[in-house]
Amino acid sequence: MPLVAGFDSSTQSCKLVIRDAETGALVRSGRAAHPDGTEVDPAAWWAALEAAVAQAGGLADVAAVSVAGQQHGMVCLDGSGEVVRPALLWNDTRSAGAAADLIEEAGGGEVGGRFWAEAVGVVPVASFTATKLRWLARHEPANADRVAAVCLPHDWLTWRLAGAPGLDALRTDRSDASGTGYWSPATGEYRFDLLERAFGRRLEVPVVLGPTQAAGALAPAALAADGGAGGALLGPGAGDNAAAAFGVGARPGDVVVSIGTSGTVFSVADAPTADPSGTVAGFADVTGRYLPLVCTLNAARVLDAAATLLGVGLDDLSDLALSAPPGADGLVMVPYLEGERTPNRPSATGAVHGLTLRTSTPAHLARAAVEGMLCALADGLDALTAQGCRAERVILVGGGARSAAVRRIAPQVFGRPVVVPPPGEYVADGAARQAAWLALGGDTPPAWSPAGTEEYEADGVPVVRDRYAAARDRVLDRPA
């Protein structure tokens, strides 16, 4: 019974799961918090990883380890492997101006967007590593002069687990490389010309590994909690969304809808995408396929806001929503509570349409909130299918999926069968499954089947989407 370990080094914390490689059964786990902020000293990630390992009883008995982590970001190293400055995280927006400059320098507008989409599958935004490198070069030239290599959060942690043997030993995977802005999922190669365009000169970057290539081995002295144990194979790792897709067993034709504070909608695809509008980010997955992704700003917090407005808990909100009819008798909520990214309406506000004496009830408003949140996510699904992605089944995950109303109303909004896996650490599970694939070998990954998965048949109610679309197109922007 070989054991494998999977880490999720997220923005908020480090989670570790240790599972049976063959069955996926959970053996033990650990977790530790990360500091707040949009820039973090990577040493804090390492301290959290060590704490999670100690809580889980060490890694001395595992055959393989893989690290998944928050995508994008920027970890800069000098020639001796020392961190140059705190890492900028994906949610650090100071490089928004740099993103706009990179698009403008490529022709601006649709021309610039098409250039970047065709080159690397994504159009620059503040999240991506390339824009952060441009910001660093322009705003911290002394630090920029020291930089010899750039990598991503999970790359750096894997490198540390291997004993930090030298910059030429940095390794990454396709999924995380595809979010840098200088690696092409379509060709599988770095675009060093775009890296140089962003930073001003070429840097050392991690070697991009295939799905079952080892990034090295766990160094005997890497983890104090293990008392010198080492030798476990290190997997290539993954970006968080790709690891989550792998963790829930998404396959071609599946669309994963993740309802967290914000929402993500992504599919496993057989071909790369190139959306010049930037709505669909053309990432890669962990199996050799692709992971086109759409992000929305408003997801589970829409439910929180509705519950606060009605003065009820989330369970009561769910019960109220299910007591109202599909379509809420014409009451529609457009949930752009913090602006929106898909569509790109950063200054938009939320709106409620169709308010009448009949629909002025808590049940109608609760139903409209759930339907509005799901319709906004369905807009993301439409963006994927417009890029040629198949959407035969929806896998619903995230905190918002714990709502019974969300689970039961989702098939009516998406018009497709909906599968809801049991709550879990999907990102860490995906990393563990990757480690198991490495440990067990073979052409296909182990088939783990978690117990407790719920399935809901397609039950489309087109009028819900139609009314939402009409209301969405009438939303207002905040005054300047």
Side-chain angles (χ1 to χ4, degrees):
M1 184 184 77
L3 300 182
V4 292
F7 287 97
D8 170 17
S9 183
S10 73
T11 313
Q12 295 84 14
S13 62
C14 179
K15 282 84 70 177
L16 166 63
V17 297
I18 296 175
R19 293 187 174 274
D20 182 302
E22 296 176 346
T23 68
L26 181 65
V27 176
R28 56 187 192 268
S29 63
R31 68 183 298 149
H34 286 161
D36 293 331
T38 63
E39 65 172 30
V40 173
D41 185 341
W45 300 334
W46 184 253
L49 183 147
E50 287 199 302
V53 169
Q55 188 181 107
L59 301 180
D61 56 348
V62 304
V65 179
S66 188
V67 182
Q70 52 185 300
Q71 277 191 272
H72 318 307
M74 179 186 73
V75 182
C76 291
L77 306 176
D78 65 16
S80 61
E82 296 297 318
V83 174
V84 171
R85 70 170 322 280
L88 297 185
L89 308 188
W90 65 274
N91 56 350
D92 191 292
T93 60
R94 72 187 74 180
S95 61
D101 289 346
L102 288 169
I103 296 171
E104 187 63 30
E105 291 165 13
E110 184 176 348
V111 172
R114 186 169 300 280
F115 169 84
W116 283 95
E118 291 179 351
V120 289
V122 296
V123 179
V125 294
S127 299
F128 300 154
T129 316
T131 69
K132 299 180 188 302
L133 286 170
R134 167 61 68 89
W135 179 89
L136 181 66
R138 295 286 170 85
H139 293 271
E140 296 183 357
N143 280 333
D145 286 345
R146 293 179 53 206
V147 178
V150 61
C151 62
L152 303 167
H154 100 257
D155 309 341
W156 185 82
L157 287 168
T158 301
W159 183 68
R160 284 291 306 269
L161 287 170
L167 297 182
D168 60 351
L170 287 167
R171 299 291 185 267
T172 192
D173 82 300
R174 297 171 68 255
S175 69
D176 231 1
S178 64
T180 60
Y182 45 81
W183 185 84
S184 168
T187 66
E189 296 178 350
Y190 279 110
R191 286 291 302 267
F192 287 108
D193 59 321
L194 299 183
L195 174 58
E196 292 176 14
R197 178 181 296 199
F199 190 64
R201 60 183 172 87
R202 186 160 171 169
L203 297 171
E204 186 90 29
V205 292
V207 173
V208 180
L209 300 175
T212 59
Q213 288 182 285
L218 179 63
L223 294 166
D226 277 355
L233 294 173
L234 295 174
D240 50 4
N241 289 304
F246 199 52
V248 299
R251 57 181 187 258
D254 286 341
V255 174
V256 179
V257 176
S258 178
I259 307 177
T261 302
S262 58
T264 51
V265 184
F266 47 95
S267 68
V268 177
D270 290 319
T273 58
D275 179 5
S277 75
T279 299
V280 178
F283 299 141
D285 83 338
V286 301
T287 70
R289 295 186 175 93
Y290 304 91
L291 198 83
L293 179 146
V294 175
C295 182
T296 69
L297 294 182
N298 300 280
R301 59 178 144 189
V302 177
L303 306 180
D304 295 334
T308 299
L309 184 64
L310 295 173
V312 299
L314 289 173
D315 289 341
D316 291 333
L317 181 79
S318 178
D319 291 341
L320 284 168
L322 290 173
S323 72
D329 289 322
L331 189 67
V332 177
M333 177 183 289
V334 181
Y336 297 169
L337 306 185
E338 290 292 335
E340 189 46 77
R341 176 173 169 178
T342 304
N344 186 24
R345 299 286 301 278
S347 60
T349 58
V352 176
H353 294 265
L355 192 63
T356 66
L357 289 175
R358 182 182 184 186
T359 60
S360 300
T361 72
H364 283 85
L365 183 61
R367 181 86 186 199
V370 173
E371 290 180 345
M373 179 197 72
L374 289 169
C375 283
L377 292 164
D379 283 349
L381 190 152
D382 290 346
L384 290 178
T385 58
Q387 290 294 311
C389 300
R390 291 157 50 201
E392 299 165 0
R393 181 179 72 157
V394 171
I395 301 176
L396 202 61
V397 300
R402 298 180 183 180
S403 162
V406 169
R407 297 195 301 272
R408 290 173 57 183
I409 295 172
Q412 299 174 6
V413 173
F414 296 135
R416 293 168 173 84
V418 171
V419 175
V420 186
E425 297 294 350
Y426 311 113
V427 177
D429 289 346
R433 189 176 178 219
Q434 184 189 68
W437 194 5
L438 183 64
L440 298 176
D443 296 330
T444 58
W448 293 354
S449 299
T453 296
E454 298 180 14
E455 299 185 12
Y456 301 83
E457 294 185 3
D459 185 24
V461 183
V463 68
V464 175
R465 293 290 311 279
D466 292 342
R467 287 174 178 164
Y468 177 84
R472 175 197 62 209
D473 294 340
R474 296 198 297 269
V475 298
L476 300 176
D477 290 341
R478 294 186 183 92

